[in-house]
Amino acid sequence: MHMNPIVSIVDDDESVRIATSSLVRSLGWGARLYASAEQFLASDEIHDVTCIISDVQMPGISGLQMYWRLLESGVRLPVVFISAFASDLVRRQALEAGALCVLSKPVDAVELSRHLQMVKAGRTDALR
């Protein structure tokens, strides 16, 4: 169980970052905001993060490419992808890589809350 959980929110849309941050903070999480996958990957705060919420489609490195890079470097974190236009292929690739889910924008607060509560309880396997 995570006592002081921190979620990293990676999205190129500032309004989405702020809204998602407000939601996760209201659920008792700390939040760190990143405008790009590159910015997140360059941060030295990856190892104390409990979960990632990331847009799939962003300029530069996509959310899925970012997640693959993390996995390749041995970083295994629960990730929730969000997307306005996720195809079946992207959803399948994300889930096969180990993502908890791919949620559609606008994000359903109740559904996101359910996923974060499971992460906080250390029960990410129950989400699949």
Side-chain angles (χ1 to χ4, degrees), residues 9-113:
I9 300 165
V10 185
D11 199 303
D12 59 308
D13 185 326
E14 183 179 18
S15 63
V16 172
R17 286 193 312 271
I18 292 170
T20 305
S21 171
S22 294
L23 173 60
V24 300
R25 288 171 195 226
S26 75
L27 298 170
W29 289 72
R32 295 186 184 141
L33 310 179
Y34 301 92
S36 68
E38 292 89 346
Q39 186 183 34
F40 174 70
L41 291 171
S43 82
D44 37 343
E45 301 174 325
I46 293 174
H47 296 287
D48 62 348
V49 170
T50 308
C51 182
I52 301 167
I53 298 173
S54 177
D55 191 5
V56 173
Q57 296 176 323
M58 296 180 283
I61 298 172
S62 74
L64 199 50
Q65 291 168 326
M66 174 191 74
Y67 190 53
W68 286 332
R69 287 187 186 189
L70 289 171
L71 294 174
E72 288 170 0
S73 68
V75 176
R76 304 243 182 288
L77 291 168
V79 64
V80 172
F81 284 113
I82 56 175
S83 179
F85 309 104
S87 67
D88 289 339
L89 174 62
V90 166
R91 286 181 191 279
R92 188 172 64 252
Q93 288 175 330
L95 295 173
E96 286 175 358
L100 298 177
C101 60
V102 180
L103 302 178
S104 297
K105 288 183 181 178
V107 173
D108 180 312
V110 172
E111 188 171 6
L112 180 58
S113 174

